[in-house]
Amino acid sequence: MINIENVVHKYKVWEGDESRLLTALDHISFEVGDGGFVALLGANGCGKSTMARHTNALLLPDEGKVTVDGMDTSDPENTNMIRRKVGMVFQDPDNQIIGTSVEEDVAFGPENRALPPEDIRRYVADSLKAVGLFSERKSSPVHLSGGQKQRVAVAGVLATDNSCIVLDEPTAMLDPRSRREFMETLEKLRSMGKTIVLITHHTDEVTGADVIVGMKDGRVIAKSSPSEFFGNRKLIQELRMDVPASVEIGRSLADMCLIPEGVYLSPEILCQTVMCAWEKEGSLRPEMSGDAPQTAFSEKNRDCSGCCDIRNDSRNETRSEFQNDAPPLMQLQEVSFSYEQGTAREKSVLKNITLDIRKGEFAALVGSSGSGKTTMVKLLNGLLKASSGRIFFEGEDIYGKNYQLRGLRKKVGMIFQNPEQQLFCKTVLSDVEFGPLHVGMSREESDEAARHALELVGITEDKFQMNPLDLSGGQKKRVAIAGVLAMRPSVLIMDEPAAGLDPGSRDQIFQLIQRIRREEGTTVVLISHDMDEVARWADRVMVLHDGTIEADGRPEDVFQEEKLLEDTGVDLPQSGKIMRLLREKGFPAGRLEMTNEAAIRAIAAVLKAGDENA
């Protein structure tokens, strides 16, 4: 359906008052067949989004050729027909939402195709049901959460009934339940013969792809099946990607000679293999793997000597235990909040929230989209004022008559879901300098703080004079984070800071935050829909549902409450799902382990015990 032949694309980027050409795509070639599922993976800035925009003529090649069903995208006479065939969902849903109500926005595409009114109503209803937003059809998109806006954008493309859908990080801001439902929707679309091109950093979303295209520095460096792709350790490292939890856990258990080697793309196959090994009381070995369930890909068995200990991986050093006797830094007392209070459109979001946030802790706030998470953190630095209740910072009432909110905002830095909301200067360096300059630092101090913060988040000096809006989505996110870090806040609030970041950049950001915590005693409040992220880094989890705190405790305790998680729309981390599945099959898994490393240790302990008893 889509044929990309030797495509080159260059951007003009500005550095102050001068411009230069930046090669974003460097002789790219691959095909997307009718009804196929192609995934594009790679680090931020590798050219994925640029490539996606070539598939429906939003961008045109400087060299090479892109055709859709034989139509050249460079021919303007083909543009309308190409865009009727290829729909696109962008990283930022605000770039696609134009209607005053949800159903009006979703109806925009079908209306512009001059479809009959009854067909438009049906398409809109079916699309909103598919993404779980039918009940919000009369709502204004302005009042929706970031994740809900993302689903509106997806519904708008589904309603247009394109034969091919290109999705650029469509699940980046979706809560776990919505992400699961959305992937089920993609499966339905595939069964209907739709062609799917998916850009994502969630590798578990692409295990069912026909082909994975790996990109680096504007080039295609791999085109292979998921089993071949995730089985190539050198390639994964080069692309700065991670692998699905089932692949990582299976690989480690195989390295320890406890299960046969293979690329375990699904938790089900991994659990079958583990159960087979356990039921044989450790007698199963790689050379006897014929009795084991087949994996998607197997390599030759190798000598197991010396591989029976879990490798020392720097990723194991993540979350640090937090002492609960630290003094309260922020306190919420019976806080409630409603939008448009006192009007017919009043919407209650938070209800009688009471909690303490202690100095130096890393607290994660989780919950389904629309549960009130973003609203709550905006209250913490005075961007919104509570409808009722009190908020204290360092013992002072922030609603007191003489309290200066400007002083609060110097100490409580916030990184929003959408980095464009924080980027407005002409250059990256001046944008990061803006905050320090306005909290009393000198020009020299601001410049030093900005350069240091940019270095910390991995933005190199060659990008300092670029316009921040010329950067990739992930790079914009890192610049926004640097802008807050440069002000040296005592509290760092992060609303989905890793959404849209590649795994390498994500780990770099969180390792940086942990270092700042250790060195500066910074308090961190994280909003995230990624439960693997929460389990790995946070020392406290607060579950927000329907405006109230339903659970508050250590991740390893909160994630044992399976019924509560199900009721509140919060998912288990990937490793927790694997442990649960093993337990359901009768494996003596004990507690649900919440990190891959802990799951590997727990499974290995049982299998080794069986081996010793055999």
Side-chain angles (χ1 to χ4, degrees), residues 276-461:
C276 182
W278 178 64
E279 288 168 356
K280 289 178 179 294
E281 295 183 332
S283 63
L284 181 65
R285 284 296 175 261
E287 61 271 15
M288 301 173 62
S289 60
D291 294 332
Q294 294 297 306
T295 64
F297 171 75
S298 291
E299 301 175 285
K300 281 188 173 183
N301 300 326
R302 65 181 183 214
D303 181 16
C304 293
S305 59
C307 66
C308 293
D309 290 317
I310 297 177
R311 296 183 304 275
N312 182 20
D313 193 327
S314 62
R315 292 176 302 170
N316 291 333
E317 296 181 9
T318 55
R319 179 161 55 89
S320 58
E321 288 300 323
F322 177 73
Q323 300 300 319
N324 289 325
D325 56 358
L329 182 67
M330 310 187 81
Q331 296 173 288
L332 282 71
Q333 296 182 356
E334 297 185 350
V335 169
S336 298
F337 182 85
S338 298
Y339 286 103
E340 300 189 65
Q341 188 178 19
T343 72
R345 297 169 63 92
E346 180 174 346
K347 182 177 181 180
S348 176
V349 180
L350 298 176
K351 306 165 186 175
N352 297 315
I353 301 287
T354 295
L355 58 85
D356 293 345
I357 297 173
R358 300 182 180 276
K359 181 176 175 57
E361 75 177 329
F362 192 144
L365 186 61
V366 305
S368 59
S369 297
S371 62
K373 301 184 299 298
T374 299
T375 298
M376 180 170 153
V377 296
K378 285 181 177 179
L379 292 173
L380 296 181
N381 75 341
L383 289 176
L384 294 175
K385 184 176 181 180
S387 302
S388 62
R390 314 304 299 173
I391 298 178
F392 295 85
F393 180 74
E394 294 180 332
E396 292 188 68
D397 186 346
I398 71 169
Y399 300 141
K401 183 177 179 180
N402 298 319
Y403 193 85
Q404 296 294 317
L405 286 176
R406 183 179 178 184
L408 174 69
R409 291 167 190 158
K410 288 181 183 179
K411 296 180 179 180
V412 181
M414 184 164 178
I415 299 163
F416 297 99
Q417 284 179 338
N418 184 354
E420 280 87 351
Q421 293 176 354
Q422 290 176 265
L423 305 177
F424 50 85
C425 294
K426 288 185 177 181
T427 70
V428 167
L429 185 60
S430 61
D431 201 286
V432 179
E433 287 177 333
F434 183 87
L437 282 171
H438 286 77
V439 295
M441 292 188 195
S442 67
R443 173 66 65 179
E444 292 75 16
E445 290 172 330
S446 298
D447 181 75
E448 181 182 354
R451 289 176 180 274
H452 181 60
L454 286 166
E455 180 184 352
L456 287 174
V457 300
I459 297 295
T460 53
E461 193 166 354

Side-chain angles (χ1 to χ4, degrees), residues 9-268:
H9 187 89
K10 297 182 180 182
Y11 283 111
K12 179 183 287 187
V13 295
W14 290 91
E15 298 178 343
D17 295 328
E18 297 182 358
S19 66
R20 65 181 174 92
L21 289 178
L22 176 68
T23 300
L25 299 178
D26 190 358
H27 298 91
I28 295 279
S29 296
F30 65 92
E31 296 181 358
V32 181
D34 282 333
F37 179 6
V38 174
L40 299 182
L41 298 185
N44 296 121
C46 71
K48 303 185 300 296
S49 296
T50 299
M51 186 65 258
R53 284 164 171 76
H54 279 268
T55 60
N56 69 344
L58 286 174
L59 294 176
L60 302 177
D62 294 313
E63 298 178 29
K65 186 178 182 180
V66 178
T67 57
V68 177
D69 283 348
M71 296 180 290
D72 191 336
T73 60
S74 296
D75 186 344
E77 293 186 1
N78 295 331
T79 301
N80 287 339
M81 184 56 69
I82 287 172
R83 290 178 183 166
R84 288 182 65 175
K85 288 180 175 290
V86 182
M88 186 163 179
V89 178
F90 298 100
Q91 284 180 330
D92 180 6
D94 287 322
N95 289 340
Q96 288 182 264
I97 294 177
I98 58 174
T100 58
S101 71
V102 168
E103 64 181 0
E104 178 185 327
D105 190 86
V106 176
F108 182 81
E111 286 173 346
N112 279 273
R113 294 182 62 179
L115 297 178
E118 59 273 17
D119 287 349
I120 293 175
R121 286 191 289 270
R122 177 166 53 85
Y123 279 135
V124 170
D126 289 348
S127 299
L128 287 173
K129 288 176 182 176
V131 299
L133 278 182
F134 185 73
S135 63
E136 299 286 347
R137 62 192 182 279
K138 301 296 183 183
S139 300
S140 168
V142 174
H143 296 144
L144 299 181
S145 69
Q148 289 172 317
K149 289 179 182 178
Q150 192 91 324
R151 285 189 276 165
V152 172
V154 171
V157 172
L158 295 181
T160 310
D161 198 29
N162 306 99
S163 56
C164 175
I165 302 176
V166 180
L167 305 115
D168 191 351
E169 295 282 356
T171 63
M173 291 189 291
L174 296 187
D175 61 67
R177 180 179 293 171
S178 298
R179 185 162 82 93
R180 187 168 59 249
E181 291 172 351
F182 176 70
M183 294 309 296
E184 291 171 356
T185 300
L186 281 191
E187 284 300 315
K188 292 177 185 176
L189 293 172
R190 288 190 69 196
S191 68
M192 295 164 55
K194 301 283 188 183
T195 302
I196 305 295
V197 178
L198 176 63
I199 297 172
T200 183
H201 292 305
H202 292 290
T203 53
D204 60 308
E205 294 178 352
V206 302
T207 56
D210 299 314
V211 175
I212 297 178
V213 177
M215 294 183 63
K216 180 182 180 183
D217 298 331
R219 297 183 178 91
V220 170
I221 66 170
K223 287 181 285 188
S224 60
S225 68
S227 59
E228 293 173 318
F229 188 91
F230 292 122
N232 189 333
R233 302 189 191 195
K234 184 178 179 181
L235 173 65
I236 295 299
Q237 185 176 13
E238 183 178 0
L239 291 174
R240 297 179 64 195
M241 301 302 299
D242 57 13
V243 297
S246 59
V247 173
E248 182 175 344
I249 293 172
R251 176 186 294 165
S252 294
L253 294 174
D255 285 348
M256 294 156 56
C257 302
L258 296 172
I259 64 173
E261 285 194 27
V263 181
Y264 297 89
L265 293 178
S266 77
E268 290 76 15

Side-chain angles (χ1 to χ4, degrees), residues 530-552:
D530 188 331
M531 296 305 109
D532 292 275
E533 193 174 88
V534 170
R536 182 175 169 189
W537 299 101
D539 46 46
R540 175 185 178 186
V541 178
M542 298 174 286
V543 180
L544 188 61
H545 178 65
D546 195 25
T548 62
I549 298 291
E550 297 291 338
D552 186 352

